[in-house]
Amino acid sequence: MDYNGALDAAIGRLHEEGRYRTFIDIERRNGHFPHAVWSTPEGTRKDIVVWCGNDYLGMGQQPVVLQAMHEALDATGAGSGGTRNISGTTVYHKRLEQSLADLHQKEAALVFTSAYIANDATLSTLPKLFPGLIIYSDALNHASMIEGVRRNGGAKRVFRHNDVAHLRQLLEADDSAAPKLIAFESIYSMDGDFGPIEAICDLADEFGALTYIDEVHAVGMYGPRGAGVAERDGLMHRIDIINGTLAKAYGVQGGYIAASAKMCDAVRSYAPGFIFSTSLPPAVVAGAEASVEFLKTAQHLRDKQQEHARILKMRLRALGLPIIDHGSHIVPVHVGDPVHCKAISDMLLSRHGIYVQPINFPTVPRGTERLRFTPSPVHNPRMIDDLVRAMDGLWSHCALNRAEISA
């Protein structure tokens, strides 16, 4: 076997298809984000504006968060020193879990090293807790959910994206006595569309199924205290397991589930992804708790972010650019070709100092390649002006289609 040759061929295919992914080396500037410094391939340094980050509200530079992290670092040192079962559970971890349980109005919460691990570990463990469990999974669920469902060894059904009628058909076809769980998301991050939470909860009640929702792109962003779309819609009490992240709107690191005390106890006791992982450092956990608590009363940041998202959508739409708008805070612009998508991304960065990563297959289906913008409260009107002008010029440069602009 020519192992090097096989690697060359695999990487070469990505280049040929125009979807080879390049790391952009950037240095965030505390107190000045979304400004950052790009270390170019030529070895120079260039000031840029980040338009594709998941630090949706700029909490990664919030003084309250940084102060909490500094204090915990000075008090405890760098790492946690072990897994949660062996010396890695600190007062900081317990406080964060209490804060998250309060946020989602659940009895308990369980913190993982990432939301990916939280999804994977929980969904792959549930069939051990409920023998014969059937999991019904939305076709566009995140890779972490798909992986967890795939690895659990139990029965699975995939329903068409947000298609409640198809979900009903699948539920009706199975044994009414079998344990069931419906896994879906509140916001699907590539299109920015919302899951039909209430309709799915109605089906869950009718068929005796548990509900599992991924609120990763919604926690901190929606609801009067930032608990997500389920809180905004008054439906949190109807969700059995909520998955969230501390690495997006909360600006730090980690993931979690919030559920009943018994559910969290069972998952922590059976999930290998939790049992055998070193816990998050206390400084990270302290920063996350400070961020969660801060955003429980920071509606002004959510309002400003939504305002900037609406403005950017309106301005891009006025230019005839094909934005995908489902009313969320995410602003995808459909390009539909991997080569053009990467070319526009490269030119935005090199010519205009604007960083937005191209989103190509397999993250999205072929033919739906897009640029995904994430406006934040810390993007100002001038930055929006610069982005809109640059997109207008590059869209013409690449001779891409525009929608008809109404007078």
Side-chain angles (χ1 to χ4, degrees):
M1 175 70 181
D2 181 1
Y3 295 105
N4 285 329
L7 294 174
D8 288 338
I11 295 172
R13 288 193 296 272
L14 297 178
H15 282 287
E16 290 170 6
E17 295 172 9
R19 58 186 186 91
Y20 179 77
R21 302 185 183 208
T22 303
F23 288 151
I24 306 298
D25 298 332
I26 65 170
E27 179 182 324
R28 286 162 60 99
R29 297 172 61 190
N30 180 30
H32 299 282
F33 193 75
H35 288 287
V37 177
W38 171 39
S39 296
T40 71
E42 295 77 27
T44 60
R45 289 166 61 82
K46 180 176 180 178
D47 290 333
I48 63 170
V49 175
V50 177
W51 272 99
C52 59
N54 285 334
D55 186 357
Y56 291 138
L57 299 177
M59 292 300 293
Q61 61 184 353
Q62 167 57 236
V64 171
V65 174
L66 301 186
Q67 180 181 352
M69 296 184 74
H70 280 297
E71 290 176 355
L73 180 65
D74 291 340
T76 68
S80 70
T83 66
R84 288 293 297 273
N85 288 322
I86 305 176
S87 81
T89 294
T90 70
V91 293
Y92 298 96
H93 294 82
K94 299 303 289 183
R95 287 174 190 162
L96 174 58
E97 288 173 341
Q98 291 166 0
S99 175
L100 292 168
D102 169 73
L103 174 70
H104 292 290
Q105 295 298 287
K106 298 298 183 187
E107 292 178 341
L110 194 62
V111 171
F112 293 76
T113 52
S114 72
Y116 187 108
I117 298 298
N119 270 333
D120 185 10
T122 303
L123 288 168
S124 63
T125 296
L126 291 175
K128 302 175 187 176
L129 308 175
F130 308 107
L133 179 70
I134 304 171
I135 295 183
Y136 303 81
S137 178
D138 188 286
L140 293 188
N141 276 343
H142 189 266
S144 58
M145 301 175 76
I146 294 171
E147 184 66 12
V149 172
R150 183 189 68 80
R151 290 198 310 107
N152 68 30
K156 67 177 180 181
R157 312 282 187 260
V158 178
F159 60 94
R160 290 186 292 271
H161 178 52
N162 280 351
D163 190 333
V164 179
H166 186 218
L167 174 58
R168 170 179 285 279
Q169 292 173 7
L170 295 175
L171 288 162
E172 289 175 338
D174 283 320
D175 182 356
S176 61
K180 302 174 178 66
L181 179 139
I182 304 170
F184 62 108
E185 299 186 36
S186 63
I187 297 179
Y188 293 84
S189 64
M190 289 301 107
D191 281 354
D193 56 330
F194 294 89
I197 302 175
E198 185 172 18
I200 287 177
C201 288
D202 289 344
L203 280 181
D205 289 346
E206 181 180 347
F207 288 91
L210 296 171
T211 48
Y212 184 108
I213 192 169
D214 180 310
E215 289 254 36
V216 159
H217 291 276
V219 290
M221 303 292 293
Y222 296 84
R225 297 203 307 158
V229 180
E231 182 194 32
R232 182 197 69 179
D233 296 347
L235 297 168
M236 274 201 306
H237 64 289
R238 302 185 66 185
I239 303 295
D240 294 294
I241 305 173
I242 297 173
N243 169 276
T245 185
L246 303 163
K248 291 184 170 61
Y250 292 118
V252 191
Q253 179 64 39
Y256 63 90
I257 61 168
S260 69
K262 287 183 180 179
M263 184 71 76
C264 289
D265 192 24
V267 170
R268 77 166 185 89
S269 300
Y270 280 86
F274 179 84
I275 295 169
F276 298 106
S277 291
T278 298
S279 65
L280 289 169
V284 172
V285 176
E289 188 213 347
S291 186
V292 171
E293 288 299 313
F294 183 89
L295 285 180
K296 286 178 181 178
T297 59
Q299 187 60 36
H300 65 287
L301 289 180
R302 288 186 278 275
D303 291 342
K304 180 63 72 172
Q305 194 284 327
Q306 291 285 342
E307 177 188 349
H308 287 175
R310 284 193 298 270
I311 291 171
L312 181 59
K313 290 175 185 177
M314 176 185 67
R315 303 231 1 226
L316 293 175
R317 186 184 290 113
L319 294 173
L321 270 62
I323 69 166
I324 304 169
D325 185 7
H326 294 282
S328 74
H329 62 284
I330 296 168
V331 185
V333 179
H334 180 267
V335 179
D337 177 86
V339 175
H340 280 136
C341 196
K342 187 175 187 311
I344 292 176
S345 171
D346 289 345
M347 288 186 285
L348 282 171
L349 185 62
S350 61
R351 299 182 184 180
H352 302 278
I354 293 170
Y355 173 40
V356 58
Q357 191 73 8
I359 308 295
N360 293 335
F361 178 84
T363 306
V364 295
R366 297 179 195 275
T368 68
E369 295 81 6
R370 80 277 311 267
L371 299 169
R372 177 182 174 274
F373 298 97
T374 52
S376 75
V378 293
H379 287 92
N380 61 39
R382 180 177 177 180
M383 294 174 189
I384 295 175
D385 287 343
D386 291 343
L387 172 60
V388 170
R389 282 196 297 268
M391 284 292 289
D392 186 24
L394 291 176
W395 212 259
S396 297
H397 175 80
C398 292
L400 296 175
N401 291 332
R402 299 180 189 242
E404 293 211 11
I405 306 171
S406 58

